[in-house]
Amino acid sequence: ILAGPHDILKLYNPQGNIINISPQLSPNSPHCCYKLEVVAADCNSELLGTELAVALGFDLSSMEKRLQSLEKKILTEAGETPAIVHEMKSQVESFREKLENVEHLSWLGLFKDLSEATNKPSPFYHKRTLRKTREECEHVKEKFLQMSSLEVSEDVRQYLKTPTFDNWQWEDAEIMVLLQVMYADLDFISAFNIEPEVLQQFLYEVYQRYNNIPFHNFKHCFCVTQMMYGLIWLTDIRSKLDSIDLLTMLTSAVCHDLDHTGYNNAYQINARTELALRYNDISPLENHHCAVAFEILEKNECNIFRNLTIEQYKRIREGIIKCILATDMLRHNEILNKFKSILPEFDFSNKDHKDLMMIMIKVSDISNEARPMDVAEPWLDCLLQEFFNQSDMEKLEGLPVTPFMDRDKVTKPSSQTGFIRFVLFPLFIELANLFPCLEQHIIDPVRKALDYYTEMEKALETEKQNRTQSDKTGKSDILSVVTGTVPLETLRVKCLAQGHDGSKWDLNL
């Protein structure tokens, strides 16, 4: 392969995946051959310039000079440069910067040092370390302990029981106070003899073990728990299940994403991470969340279950594991179909029908679209950031790219319309069949969300079609002048006919 010192290369493994160019690569062999390609080259190279001239039918350097000359003539005669020219130059410059900036070259397979390090900056949250720092945690803990004895107003307590609660208005220390309120208002503290200082230490440890990532962070933990708490009150399920089941459900929500690093199970398995190896590719994340939860509870000062009987603890442990493992979306259809099959004869007293707890946490886990749009939409932005960071890393490491996470293929509305239709609605509707009161609280808002993103999708598609048509027309005229098939005077007259309005040229050139 011919490549110069300034050329950019990408490397493929025998399976056709882009891989990292690094000193750690396994040696090439006749049975395992790498494929190397030049994806960006030094255009000043005489050999390359000759090859391109032959391939394109004209010489790039002479065309560049002609373009500069034409631009000067248009500026002199028309009085200003057409907007389409500005746009094209901007696109070229943007692409040039992308090629020259290593931070944006993961898709080209350039080498990056992926070795582990203490407090290694997260690749998807550049300004903060993945793990919380000691200073960050101690600051939040101090604020939490100062607030923990304060009396929360009745208005806030009632607001906390609704799906419309706005998490963005609350800091982490305040969120821990609200979680404490939930345990108190459901009578868990008195019923299970949970000491206040133990509950506070448990919540603080939980806070510490949620990472600084865009979506699966401590605020997400709170949102899921708050929705679970709201559902418990809205459905009056307290009169149908005993307290130990409710404690299981709420604590499962608190712990359900502990130590999530921002990469889903598909990535864990394809990248052969430590978690995937430890759990044999079976729900590696969810198994890890469970393990971290009980690691926290093993500390006596954090064990909110330490005054339970052995039988009570065993029942809660089984329930928490069952609930957290149910949040693996790979099991979504299995769990939903089983619930649908027992729904016609559902019996709250039937132990085999306790799958309701799994449905409740699944609904809570993906319930953002049931919230007001000004609360829900920022969460979607966070989720897409995490998704795009994962797909970037998959491209960088030569792994299969998760389709719904690919920033080059996914838009905000397209990510939601299918998810709402085929995942949210079927799940939410079945729970509403058991609890009709939920129709107005979670079904109606999700319908509005679907309408919102459907309209957004249509608007984006229309804008894309208009831009494509405009670009085709404009670039065709410019290219005609560049190649000499249309006189410059014709283009100048066309511009003048539009009243020297740059925005009109942008649409009609």
Side-chain angles (χ1 to χ4, degrees):
I1 183 169
L2 294 174
H6 304 295
D7 295 351
I8 297 174
L9 312 175
K10 65 178 176 180
L11 187 67
Y12 295 90
N13 64 15
Q15 289 74 44
N17 297 322
I18 297 176
I19 58 175
N20 219 16
I21 300 176
S22 79
Q24 287 79 39
L25 279 175
S26 302
N28 213 3
S29 72
H31 306 293
C32 181
C33 296
Y34 299 114
K35 179 184 176 185
L36 191 64
E37 283 187 359
V38 177
V39 295
D42 182 1
C43 291
N44 294 321
S45 162
E46 185 177 342
L47 176 62
L48 180 61
T50 304
E51 290 177 348
L52 277 175
V54 172
L56 297 174
F58 51 81
D59 181 59
L60 276 178
S61 58
S62 61
M63 173 167 280
E64 187 174 9
K65 291 175 183 176
R66 179 168 170 75
L67 279 170
Q68 291 171 349
S69 174
L70 288 172
E71 186 178 351
K72 287 179 182 178
K73 285 185 179 180
I74 292 174
L75 183 60
T76 302
E77 298 182 21
E80 59 181 322
T81 303
I84 187 68
V85 175
H86 283 300
E87 183 182 348
M88 292 173 70
K89 289 176 70 176
S90 174
Q91 290 174 358
V92 170
E93 188 58 34
S94 174
F95 188 64
R96 186 202 303 273
E97 288 178 3
K98 186 174 184 179
L99 289 176
E100 293 175 350
N101 188 347
V102 176
E103 286 302 312
H104 294 85
L105 281 173
S106 61
W107 56 281
L108 295 175
L110 291 188
F111 170 66
K112 282 189 179 181
D113 184 5
L114 300 176
S115 59
E116 291 296 325
T118 305
N119 272 344
K120 172 187 170 186
S122 160
F124 37 71
Y125 218 45
H126 302 291
K127 296 183 180 179
R128 303 176 71 184
T129 56
L130 175 62
R131 313 292 180 194
K132 293 183 173 75
T133 64
R134 176 183 292 182
E135 292 76 13
E136 181 182 0
C137 291
E138 288 179 351
H139 175 68
V140 171
K141 183 179 183 180
E142 183 182 357
K143 291 180 68 175
F144 169 46
L145 293 179
Q146 288 172 349
M147 298 176 185
S148 60
S149 59
L150 298 177
E151 186 67 27
V152 176
S153 72
E154 184 59 27
D155 286 346
V156 171
R157 287 176 183 269
Q158 292 305 316
Y159 182 34
L160 195 58
K161 296 175 182 178
T162 68
T164 58
F165 190 89
D166 184 356
N167 68 279
W168 301 112
Q169 305 300 320
W170 303 81
E171 297 178 2
D172 287 345
E174 296 169 329
I175 283 174
M176 282 190 269
V177 173
L178 295 177
L179 291 171
Q180 188 175 261
V181 167
M182 295 180 200
Y183 276 82
D185 281 8
L186 288 171
D187 296 326
F188 295 155
I189 292 176
S190 57
F192 300 106
N193 193 20
I194 301 174
E195 298 96 335
E197 61 274 11
V198 175
L199 177 59
Q200 288 162 13
Q201 190 61 34
F202 168 72
L203 294 174
Y204 172 65
E205 287 289 332
V206 165
Y207 159 77
Q208 281 188 297
R209 298 301 295 270
Y210 274 95
N211 294 318
N212 288 328
I213 55 178
F215 184 86
H216 292 97
N217 51 40
F218 185 61
K219 279 186 169 59
H220 169 67
C221 148
F222 171 75
C223 283
V224 175
T225 308
Q226 188 272 325
M227 183 60 74
M228 175 70 81
Y229 179 72
L231 292 176
I232 289 172
W233 286 103
L234 289 171
T235 59
D236 191 29
I237 204 171
R238 295 181 73 198
S239 64
K240 301 174 178 68
L241 297 179
D242 58 30
S243 294
I244 207 159
D245 288 332
L246 301 179
L247 178 61
T248 298
M249 290 160 63
L250 197 75
T251 307
S252 298
V254 169
C255 300
H256 84 284
D257 269 333
L258 278 166
D259 199 36
H260 200 301
T261 57
Y263 297 104
N264 73 1
N265 281 333
Y267 175 88
Q268 303 292 332
I269 293 167
N270 290 330
R272 302 176 186 174
T273 64
E274 181 186 346
L275 290 185
L277 295 174
R278 182 185 303 161
Y279 297 110
N280 302 310
D281 294 351
I282 301 171
S283 303
L285 280 177
E286 290 72 26
N287 273 296
H288 180 59
H289 304 325
C290 286
V292 174
F294 286 100
E295 177 186 321
I296 292 172
L297 290 165
E298 278 298 301
K299 300 176 182 178
N300 194 53
E301 68 274 16
C302 304
N303 188 2
I304 57 175
F305 305 141
R306 69 185 188 182
N307 294 321
L308 272 58
T309 66
I310 293 175
E311 285 304 312
Q312 285 177 320
Y313 177 79
K314 182 180 177 182
R315 180 175 161 188
I316 282 189
R317 176 170 162 80
E318 288 176 353
I320 289 176
I321 292 172
K322 193 172 185 180
C323 283
I324 294 180
L325 292 183
T327 62
D328 182 355
M329 289 304 294
L330 199 62
R331 298 184 57 207
H332 177 78
N333 289 333
E334 166 209 334
I335 294 170
L336 179 58
N337 289 335
K338 185 177 179 183
F339 181 69
K340 288 167 69 174
S341 69
I342 62 175
L343 196 55
E345 301 172 349
F346 194 87
D347 180 3
F348 287 97
S349 62
N350 187 334
K351 187 180 178 182
D352 294 334
H353 290 189
K354 290 296 176 67
D355 287 348
L356 171 63
M357 293 195 297
M358 295 194 293
I359 294 294
M360 294 278 277
I361 194 168
K362 283 180 64 60
V363 167
S364 301
D365 191 24
I366 56 175
S367 62
N368 281 331
E369 293 306 335
R371 298 183 185 275
M373 189 53 64
D374 59 346
V375 178
E377 193 167 6
W379 274 117
L380 177 56
D381 293 332
C382 293
L383 182 62
L384 289 177
Q385 182 187 350
E386 201 169 286
F387 280 179
F388 293 160
N389 288 329
Q390 174 173 321
S391 66
D392 288 348
M393 188 60 72
E394 288 170 333
K395 293 173 185 178
L396 175 64
E397 296 180 345
L399 299 173
V401 179
T402 308
F404 62 85
M405 295 186 178
D406 192 338
R407 69 170 74 243
D408 297 322
K409 298 178 181 177
V410 175
T411 64
K412 180 188 286 191
S414 71
S415 72
Q416 286 304 91
T417 50
F419 182 72
I420 291 173
R421 285 192 184 99
F422 304 115
V423 179
L424 280 192
F425 265 140
L427 178 64
F428 284 24
I429 286 170
E430 293 307 322
L431 186 61
N433 285 338
L434 184 62
F435 300 109
C437 63
L438 294 180
E439 178 79 22
Q440 68 181 96
H441 294 292
I442 64 172
I443 304 295
D444 289 347
V446 170
R447 285 198 182 98
K448 291 178 182 177
L450 179 59
D451 291 342
Y452 175 78
Y453 287 115
T454 300
E455 288 304 311
M456 184 187 292
E457 193 169 28
K458 289 177 182 177
L460 282 179
E461 185 59 32
T462 301
E463 181 185 347
K464 181 180 176 182
Q465 290 173 356
N466 290 342
R467 190 186 304 117
T468 301
Q469 185 58 41
S470 172
D471 287 350
K472 283 181 180 178
T473 306
K475 290 173 184 176
S476 174
D477 284 347
I478 295 290
L479 188 59
S480 296
V481 173
V482 169
T483 56
T485 56
V486 172
L488 175 63
E489 182 64 21
T490 301
L491 179 62
R492 189 181 71 81
V493 170
K494 191 170 185 179
C495 293
L496 291 172
Q498 298 298 328
H500 303 287
D501 187 332
S503 62
K504 291 181 181 177
W505 294 347
D506 187 21
L507 291 174
N508 296 288
L509 279 181

